[in-house]
């Protein structure tokens, strides 16, 4: 009878160790999740900043293009050589400005796309960690149920021994 109790005690101790082990794994996953979420929040802020910079650059490009259109209309209506030269110079400056803004926009877009890809990877990582955490909680729940069953059997054995 004592041999049976010892075996039960050993199995209960193994369940306790397994519960501790899953608890530690869950804690590690929680730490990783916290770190990943912090990185995600930082990335989201950077993405929003870049997005607003891109919108501002687009607006500036549209303004310059509208000025080019107005300058072209004025150029068609110009009467003197001096007006033509001035408007032509203005057009060259505006075209340079548009080219510069286009280049800036392309850089912003490239950085934005890079951040979006990084954010997607972090979201995938977060989802995998959440799935692993859920799996560990399920495993822990099963261990708890099995430990309860063993404790119930142990209680029954003790009651039978007392009855004798």
């Amino acid at each position: 009878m004592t041999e049976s109790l010892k075996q039960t005690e050993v199995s209960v101790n193994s369940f306790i160790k397994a519960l501790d082990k899953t608890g530690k794994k869950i804690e590690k996953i929680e730490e990783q999740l916290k770190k990943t979420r912090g990185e995600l929040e930082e990335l989201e802020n950077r993405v929003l900043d870049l997005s607003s910079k891109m919108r501002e650059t687009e607006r500036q490009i549209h303004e310059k293009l509208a000025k080019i259109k107005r300058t072209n209309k004025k150029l068609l209506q110009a009467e003197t050589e001096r007006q033509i030269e001035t408007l032509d110079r203005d057009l060259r400056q505006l075209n340079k400005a548009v080219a510069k803004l286009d280049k800036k926009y392309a850089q912003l877009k490239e950085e934005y796309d890079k951040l979006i890809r990084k954010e997607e990877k972090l979201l995938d990582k977060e989802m995998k960690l959440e799935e692993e955490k859920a799996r560990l909680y399920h495993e822990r729940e099963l261990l708890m149920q099995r430990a309860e069953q063993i404790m119930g059997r142990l209680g029954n054995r003790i009651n039978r021994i007392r009855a004798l």
Side-chain angles (χ1 to χ4, degrees):
M1 199 48 96
T2 58
E3 184 66 33
S4 167
L5 290 175
K6 286 182 182 177
Q7 289 176 351
T8 305
E9 182 182 359
V10 167
S11 62
V12 167
N13 286 336
S14 69
F15 280 118
I16 291 171
K17 287 179 184 176
L19 283 174
D20 289 342
K21 189 176 179 181
T22 55
K24 289 178 183 177
K25 286 181 182 178
I26 289 171
E27 287 175 14
K28 286 181 182 178
I29 288 176
E30 285 288 342
E31 289 174 18
Q32 290 176 339
L33 276 170
K34 187 176 180 181
K35 180 183 173 187
T36 303
R37 287 179 179 143
E39 290 176 21
L40 270 171
E41 188 175 320
E42 183 181 315
L43 268 179
E44 287 171 354
N45 290 336
R46 287 175 48 199
V47 165
L48 289 174
D49 288 344
L50 277 177
S51 178
S52 64
K53 286 180 183 177
M54 287 171 58
R55 280 193 303 274
E56 178 61 25
T57 305
E58 283 178 352
R59 186 190 62 74
Q60 290 174 352
I61 289 172
H62 288 293
E63 283 178 5
K64 298 291 182 188
L65 290 174
K67 284 183 182 179
I68 288 173
K69 187 176 180 181
R70 286 192 305 269
T71 305
N72 277 331
K73 285 182 180 178
K74 287 180 184 178
L75 187 61
L76 292 174
Q77 296 171 355
E79 297 174 356
T80 65
E81 190 65 33
R82 177 75 178 143
Q83 286 177 331
I84 293 173
E85 289 173 3
T86 304
L87 292 172
D88 193 38
R89 187 188 70 222
D90 289 346
L91 273 176
R92 283 193 304 270
Q93 288 177 345
L94 288 170
N95 283 326
K96 283 182 185 179
V98 168
K100 189 176 181 180
L101 288 171
D102 276 341
K103 186 176 180 182
K104 179 181 176 182
Y105 183 80
Q107 290 172 340
L108 290 172
K109 179 72 172 155
E110 185 178 324
E111 188 176 348
Y112 177 83
D113 290 342
K114 191 185 296 183
L115 288 177
I116 292 294
R117 285 190 298 274
K118 189 174 181 180
E119 184 179 30
E120 288 172 354
K121 287 178 184 178
L122 282 174
L123 286 171
D124 287 343
K125 180 180 177 182
E126 181 186 28
M127 286 176 54
K128 287 177 183 176
L129 288 171
E130 285 290 347
E131 289 171 0
E132 180 67 15
K133 181 178 155 184
R135 186 189 66 77
L136 287 171
Y137 272 119
H138 180 70
E139 181 180 318
R140 187 176 188 181
E141 183 64 30
L142 291 176
L143 287 172
M144 291 293 288
Q145 289 174 359
R146 289 169 61 195
E148 287 175 8
Q149 289 173 353
I150 290 172
M151 294 300 288
R153 281 190 234 135
L154 180 61
N156 288 339
R157 285 182 187 164
I158 291 172
N159 289 336
R160 276 189 249 139
I161 292 171
R162 285 183 186 161
L164 295 176

